[in-house]
Amino acid sequence: MLLLTPSLPFPSISVPTKFLHLKSSSLFLIRSSSMDTPQPKKVAVCGGGVIGVCTAYFLSKNGAAVTLIEQSSIACAASGRAGGFLALDWCDGGPVASLARASFNLHCSLAEELNGPQSYGYRPLTTLSVSVTESSLSSSSSASNQTGPGPLPSWVDGPAKSPRTIGSTSSTAQVHPQLFTKTLLSKAVNEYGVEVVIGKAERVELAEGKTRGVVLEDGREIVADAVLLALGPWTKRFSLLGSIFTIYGIKAHSIVLKPKEPDRITPHALFLTYYPAQGGKPMDPEVYPRPTGEVYICGMSARAEVPDDPEQITPVPESINALKRVAASVSSHLVEGEAAVETEQACILPCSEDDVPIIGEVPGIKGCYVATGHSCWGILNGPATGAAMAELILDGHASIVDLS
């Protein structure tokens, strides 16, 4: 039985070109009584980090039925342990310039939509480049700031010199990455119907060269029209990708400090050239005060093997101790006794051979997509990657950025 019904004000209707001359009031939809509404596209997103969550958010917001599959817990790896630094133009001149700019702007709009300043610590930052030479004495109070008048905030009272502003409040910002990822997923679950499944994705199920879903380690099958593999460095464990590209891991360390006087710490991100007291090559740690009153310090990175379980990633004590020395050299507010160490941690960043993220449909496998290899820019580039992948999966092409 066929029913003729007047057209309804759907949010988006694609009209064939030959019908464009018709007025909307004269259009009618022909529907079968056995198929009253088109079924949404079913998409399985593997990976509960920032890339997977951003993609799930934009897919579900645009009508897809999304199942998010995560082995451990949401933002349990790099997306929960990163610094959350955002830069508008630091990738200019490179292959991801348009991705970074689009994603920086998406972060701004998402912060308005999700009340980012209160929900996940979104705020603009002034960003400085600073040179620090570690004193052989025990704390920053033993050496006076050598800069004189300049852009350094008063809390940076260690042996710092050559300060230079490299980012303004219009071009650099920050989020708390774990809170950002969880806030975005909460919105997707509560308002757009995303289903979260805890389980280890074992393989992509194929039939005649097309994707039909994901099989989990415990035997469960998630039926889907499309599958996105966004598992960071764990993406490489899928054998169907092994011959196409290489993803390796960089292990990065970080500490989170809680100063006794957090109000003294202003929103200035510091990118350091740090000369250890014992000599050797300079290091490049980074310092990010957070609006929560914490100070995040990261660095000490090296290539590392990727364990099977993200929870198995543990920090190297020597690297953690080096970051504590950095903190003490930068500010008397961050020395032992003036700041409590809340977290000592490490994460593994997913990197590609040419340092360019791998984003797109897997060659030769219809409906199977991948998004990984964002290295240290995963939090920055998460929103635009997610929006682009949603467009690619639902529309067949991405318009927010050129993925070619």
Side-chain angles (χ1 to χ4, degrees):
M1 175 181 177
L2 294 179
L3 302 176
L4 286 175
T5 60
S7 61
L8 300 175
F10 292 108
S12 176
I13 299 177
S14 178
V15 182
T17 304
K18 64 181 180 179
F19 293 144
L20 288 178
H21 67 282
L22 296 174
K23 296 181 180 179
S24 60
S25 60
S26 65
L27 289 177
F28 285 81
L29 300 176
I30 300 179
R31 302 187 301 178
S32 167
S33 59
S34 62
M35 191 181 297
D36 288 344
T37 57
Q39 294 298 307
K41 190 165 190 174
K42 295 180 180 179
V43 184
V45 175
C46 300
V50 68
I51 303 299
V53 167
C54 284
T55 306
Y57 172 81
F58 286 107
L59 279 168
S60 59
K61 189 175 183 180
N62 286 281
V66 180
T67 302
L68 181 74
I69 303 165
E70 165 56 41
Q71 173 180 338
S72 182
S73 59
I74 300 302
C76 64
S79 296
R81 302 176 185 181
F85 180 75
L86 313 176
L88 171 66
D89 52 8
W90 286 25
C91 297
D92 281 5
V96 296
S98 61
L99 181 71
R101 281 182 168 269
S103 212
F104 185 89
N105 292 328
L106 268 178
H107 267 292
C108 294
S109 58
L110 285 170
E112 293 182 4
E113 178 185 344
L114 302 172
N115 192 20
Q118 282 70 47
S119 298
Y120 50 83
Y122 174 87
R123 69 175 176 181
L125 289 172
T126 297
T127 304
L128 306 175
S129 170
V130 183
S131 176
V132 174
T133 300
E134 181 184 359
S135 170
S136 58
L137 302 178
S138 61
S139 77
S140 61
S141 60
S142 62
S144 61
N145 189 300
Q146 302 174 21
T147 61
L152 275 181
S154 60
W155 60 272
V156 183
D157 54 9
K161 60 183 180 180
S162 306
R164 181 168 58 93
T165 301
I166 56 177
S168 69
T169 53
S170 62
S171 64
T172 54
Q174 72 179 146
V175 297
H176 188 300
Q178 186 180 75
L179 296 179
F180 168 71
T181 304
K182 290 185 175 182
T183 298
L184 200 63
L185 181 60
S186 177
K187 174 88 168 182
V189 169
N190 294 328
E191 297 195 18
Y192 306 131
V194 169
E195 179 185 359
V196 177
V197 172
I198 299 299
K200 182 179 179 181
E202 186 75 13
R203 70 178 188 275
V204 177
E205 191 75 357
L206 304 175
E208 299 179 353
K210 295 181 180 181
T211 302
R212 55 172 288 182
V214 177
V215 177
L216 306 187
E217 187 178 48
D218 60 10
R220 286 178 292 171
E221 181 175 352
I222 309 298
V223 177
D225 306 306
V227 171
L228 170 65
L229 304 176
L231 300 99
W234 290 273
T235 306
K236 69 176 186 178
R237 75 185 182 201
F238 288 86
S239 58
L240 58 86
L241 303 177
S243 60
I244 301 173
F245 59 81
T246 299
I247 289 292
Y248 65 92
I250 292 290
K251 188 174 185 176
H253 292 77
S254 58
I255 58 175
V256 180
L257 305 179
K258 184 73 171 182
K260 287 182 177 179
E261 300 179 283
D263 292 343
R264 300 283 296 274
I265 312 297
T266 56
H268 289 78
L270 307 179
F271 282 71
L272 306 180
T273 302
Y274 186 85
Y275 297 91
Q278 67 271 27
K281 293 178 61 177
M283 303 186 300
D284 54 356
E286 300 160 18
V287 181
Y288 306 135
R290 288 174 168 170
T292 52
E294 302 164 323
V295 178
Y296 174 98
I297 303 173
C298 64
M300 309 303 295
S301 303
R303 192 159 179 164
E305 290 297 317
V306 181
D308 185 61
D309 187 344
E311 305 292 347
Q312 296 173 343
I313 301 171
T314 57
V316 177
E318 291 80 5
S319 297
I320 295 299
N321 290 334
L323 293 177
K324 291 178 181 178
R325 293 195 300 271
V326 169
S329 297
V330 167
S331 174
S332 61
H333 297 281
L334 303 180
V335 301
E336 185 178 358
E338 293 299 318
V341 179
E342 290 197 332
T343 307
E344 301 175 357
Q345 61 190 6
C347 65
I348 294 184
L349 305 173
C351 301
S352 67
E353 291 181 312
D354 58 2
D355 296 324
V356 177
I358 299 165
I359 307 171
E361 189 169 20
V362 177
I365 305 178
K366 187 68 175 176
C368 185
Y369 302 83
V370 64
T372 187
H374 291 74
S375 67
C376 62
W377 292 114
I379 304 301
L380 166 64
N381 289 325
T385 298
M389 288 307 306
E391 291 177 333
L392 183 62
I393 293 170
L394 296 178
D395 305 330
H397 67 278
S399 60
I400 188 170
V401 291
D402 182 3
L403 295 180
S404 61

